[in-house]
PDB file of all heavy atoms in Angstrom:
ATOM      1  N   LEU A 176       8.608 -76.213 -96.756  1.00 97.00           N
ATOM      2  CA  LEU A 176       7.170 -76.029 -96.589  1.00 97.00           C
ATOM      3  C   LEU A 176       6.838 -75.096 -95.435  1.00 97.00           C
ATOM      4  O   LEU A 176       5.998 -74.195 -95.576  1.00 97.00           O
ATOM      5  CB  LEU A 176       6.487 -77.378 -96.365  1.00 97.00           C
ATOM      6  CG  LEU A 176       6.207 -78.232 -97.594  1.00 97.00           C
ATOM      7  CD1 LEU A 176       5.720 -79.606 -97.171  1.00 97.00           C
ATOM      8  CD2 LEU A 176       5.193 -77.558 -98.502  1.00 97.00           C
ATOM      9  N   ILE A 177       7.459 -75.305 -94.289  1.00 97.00           N
ATOM     10  CA  ILE A 177       7.099 -74.489 -93.130  1.00 97.00           C
ATOM     11  C   ILE A 177       7.567 -73.039 -93.294  1.00 97.00           C
ATOM     12  O   ILE A 177       6.926 -72.112 -92.791  1.00 97.00           O
ATOM     13  CB  ILE A 177       7.604 -75.093 -91.807  1.00 97.00           C
ATOM     14  CG1 ILE A 177       9.127 -75.107 -91.736  1.00 97.00           C
ATOM     15  CG2 ILE A 177       7.025 -76.479 -91.596  1.00 97.00           C
ATOM     16  CD1 ILE A 177       9.652 -75.475 -90.350  1.00 97.00           C
ATOM     17  N   ARG A 178       8.656 -72.841 -94.012  1.00 97.00           N
ATOM     18  CA  ARG A 178       9.093 -71.464 -94.293  1.00 97.00           C
ATOM     19  C   ARG A 178       8.084 -70.785 -95.217  1.00 97.00           C
ATOM     20  O   ARG A 178       7.743 -69.612 -95.038  1.00 97.00           O
ATOM     21  CB  ARG A 178      10.496 -71.456 -94.907  1.00 97.00           C
ATOM     22  CG  ARG A 178      11.596 -71.818 -93.920  1.00 97.00           C
ATOM     23  CD  ARG A 178      12.970 -71.737 -94.561  1.00 97.00           C
ATOM     24  NE  ARG A 178      13.306 -70.380 -94.972  1.00 97.00           N
ATOM     25  CZ  ARG A 178      13.809 -69.460 -94.177  1.00 97.00           C
ATOM     26  NH1 ARG A 178      14.026 -69.727 -92.886  1.00 97.00           N
ATOM     27  NH2 ARG A 178      14.100 -68.251 -94.631  1.00 97.00           N
ATOM     28  N   GLN A 179       7.608 -71.518 -96.205  1.00 97.00           N
ATOM     29  CA  GLN A 179       6.575 -71.000 -97.102  1.00 97.00           C
ATOM     30  C   GLN A 179       5.313 -70.663 -96.314  1.00 97.00           C
ATOM     31  O   GLN A 179       4.664 -69.633 -96.557  1.00 97.00           O
ATOM     32  CB  GLN A 179       6.269 -72.055 -98.167  1.00 97.00           C
ATOM     33  CG  GLN A 179       5.202 -71.652 -99.177  1.00 97.00           C
ATOM     34  CD  GLN A 179       4.902 -72.773-100.161  1.00 97.00           C
ATOM     35  OE1 GLN A 179       5.688 -73.725-100.331  1.00 97.00           O
ATOM     36  NE2 GLN A 179       3.763 -72.696-100.804  1.00 97.00           N
ATOM     37  N   LEU A 180       4.978 -71.516 -95.358  1.00 98.00           N
ATOM     38  CA  LEU A 180       3.791 -71.294 -94.523  1.00 98.00           C
ATOM     39  C   LEU A 180       3.924 -70.018 -93.705  1.00 98.00           C
ATOM     40  O   LEU A 180       2.986 -69.203 -93.645  1.00 98.00           O
ATOM     41  CB  LEU A 180       3.591 -72.493 -93.592  1.00 98.00           C
ATOM     42  CG  LEU A 180       2.510 -72.346 -92.522  1.00 98.00           C
ATOM     43  CD1 LEU A 180       1.147 -72.114 -93.140  1.00 98.00           C
ATOM     44  CD2 LEU A 180       2.490 -73.583 -91.628  1.00 98.00           C
ATOM     45  N   ALA A 181       5.066 -69.816 -93.068  1.00 97.00           N
ATOM     46  CA  ALA A 181       5.264 -68.622 -92.235  1.00 97.00           C
ATOM     47  C   ALA A 181       5.166 -67.355 -93.081  1.00 97.00           C
ATOM     48  O   ALA A 181       4.553 -66.360 -92.656  1.00 97.00           O
ATOM     49  CB  ALA A 181       6.614 -68.692 -91.524  1.00 97.00           C
ATOM     50  N   ARG A 182       5.761 -67.371 -94.257  1.00 97.00           N
ATOM     51  CA  ARG A 182       5.699 -66.181 -95.123  1.00 97.00           C
ATOM     52  C   ARG A 182       4.262 -65.887 -95.545  1.00 97.00           C
ATOM     53  O   ARG A 182       3.843 -64.739 -95.589  1.00 97.00           O
ATOM     54  CB  ARG A 182       6.581 -66.396 -96.356  1.00 97.00           C
ATOM     55  CG  ARG A 182       8.070 -66.431 -96.070  1.00 97.00           C
ATOM     56  CD  ARG A 182       8.853 -66.280 -97.366  1.00 97.00           C
ATOM     57  NE  ARG A 182      10.256 -66.610 -97.188  1.00 97.00           N
ATOM     58  CZ  ARG A 182      10.804 -67.783 -97.518  1.00 97.00           C
ATOM     59  NH1 ARG A 182      10.056 -68.735 -98.052  1.00 97.00           N
ATOM     60  NH2 ARG A 182      12.089 -68.009 -97.322  1.00 97.00           N
ATOM     61  N   ARG A 183       3.521 -66.938 -95.864  1.00 97.00           N
ATOM     62  CA  ARG A 183       2.137 -66.737 -96.276  1.00 97.00           C
ATOM     63  C   ARG A 183       1.310 -66.175 -95.120  1.00 97.00           C
ATOM     64  O   ARG A 183       0.463 -65.296 -95.312  1.00 97.00           O
ATOM     65  CB  ARG A 183       1.542 -68.068 -96.763  1.00 97.00           C
ATOM     66  CG  ARG A 183       0.065 -68.010 -97.133  1.00 97.00           C
ATOM     67  CD  ARG A 183      -0.225 -66.967 -98.200  1.00 97.00           C
ATOM     68  NE  ARG A 183      -1.645 -66.920 -98.529  1.00 97.00           N
ATOM     69  CZ  ARG A 183      -2.235 -65.913 -99.155  1.00 97.00           C
ATOM     70  NH1 ARG A 183      -1.526 -64.862 -99.539  1.00 97.00           N
ATOM     71  NH2 ARG A 183      -3.520 -65.944 -99.421  1.00 97.00           N
ATOM     72  N   CYS A 184       1.556 -66.669 -93.911  1.00 97.00           N
ATOM     73  CA  CYS A 184       0.857 -66.141 -92.731  1.00 97.00           C
ATOM     74  C   CYS A 184       1.141 -64.654 -92.557  1.00 97.00           C
ATOM     75  O   CYS A 184       0.243 -63.870 -92.219  1.00 97.00           O
ATOM     76  CB  CYS A 184       1.282 -66.900 -91.484  1.00 97.00           C
ATOM     77  SG  CYS A 184       0.590 -68.559 -91.339  1.00 97.00           S
ATOM     78  N   SER A 185       2.388 -64.260 -92.785  1.00 96.00           N
ATOM     79  CA  SER A 185       2.742 -62.848 -92.622  1.00 96.00           C
ATOM     80  C   SER A 185       2.082 -61.984 -93.694  1.00 96.00           C
ATOM     81  O   SER A 185       1.710 -60.841 -93.439  1.00 96.00           O
ATOM     82  CB  SER A 185       4.263 -62.669 -92.645  1.00 96.00           C
ATOM     83  OG  SER A 185       4.789 -62.791 -93.949  1.00 96.00           O
ATOM     84  N   GLU A 186       1.921 -62.528 -94.897  1.00 95.00           N
ATOM     85  CA  GLU A 186       1.253 -61.790 -95.974  1.00 95.00           C
ATOM     86  C   GLU A 186      -0.219 -61.561 -95.628  1.00 95.00           C
ATOM     87  O   GLU A 186      -0.744 -60.449 -95.774  1.00 95.00           O
ATOM     88  CB  GLU A 186       1.349 -62.581 -97.291  1.00 95.00           C
ATOM     89  CG  GLU A 186       2.738 -62.665 -97.888  1.00 95.00           C
ATOM     90  CD  GLU A 186       2.775 -63.580 -99.090  1.00 95.00           C
ATOM     91  OE1 GLU A 186       1.691 -64.102 -99.469  1.00 95.00           O
ATOM     92  OE2 GLU A 186       3.864 -63.796 -99.662  1.00 95.00           O
ATOM     93  N   VAL A 187      -0.882 -62.617 -95.198  1.00 95.00           N
ATOM     94  CA  VAL A 187      -2.308 -62.519 -94.857  1.00 95.00           C
ATOM     95  C   VAL A 187      -2.497 -61.579 -93.668  1.00 95.00           C
ATOM     96  O   VAL A 187      -3.425 -60.773 -93.629  1.00 95.00           O
ATOM     97  CB  VAL A 187      -2.870 -63.923 -94.540  1.00 95.00           C
ATOM     98  CG1 VAL A 187      -4.304 -63.825 -94.019  1.00 95.00           C
ATOM     99  CG2 VAL A 187      -2.819 -64.802 -95.778  1.00 95.00           C
ATOM    100  N   ARG A 188      -1.592 -61.663 -92.707  1.00 94.00           N
ATOM    101  CA  ARG A 188      -1.656 -60.803 -91.523  1.00 94.00           C
ATOM    102  C   ARG A 188      -1.510 -59.334 -91.899  1.00 94.00           C
ATOM    103  O   ARG A 188      -2.230 -58.471 -91.379  1.00 94.00           O
ATOM    104  CB  ARG A 188      -0.563 -61.221 -90.550  1.00 94.00           C
ATOM    105  CG  ARG A 188      -0.531 -60.465 -89.255  1.00 94.00           C
ATOM    106  CD  ARG A 188       0.588 -60.971 -88.362  1.00 94.00           C
ATOM    107  NE  ARG A 188       1.913 -60.745 -88.945  1.00 94.00           N
ATOM    108  CZ  ARG A 188       3.058 -61.068 -88.362  1.00 94.00           C
ATOM    109  NH1 ARG A 188       3.035 -61.673 -87.183  1.00 94.00           N
ATOM    110  NH2 ARG A 188       4.217 -60.825 -88.940  1.00 94.00           N
ATOM    111  N   ALA A 189      -0.607 -59.037 -92.810  1.00 93.00           N
ATOM    112  CA  ALA A 189      -0.373 -57.652 -93.221  1.00 93.00           C
ATOM    113  C   ALA A 189      -1.567 -57.086 -93.983  1.00 93.00           C
ATOM    114  O   ALA A 189      -1.801 -55.875 -93.966  1.00 93.00           O
ATOM    115  CB  ALA A 189       0.887 -57.571 -94.083  1.00 93.00           C
TER     116      ALA A 189
END
Side-chain angles (χ1 to χ4, degrees):
L176 280 172
I177 65 170
R178 289 182 64 83
Q179 180 183 342
L180 172 60
R182 291 195 193 99
R183 176 57 181 162
C184 286
S185 75
E186 291 174 3
V187 173
R188 182 180 64 179

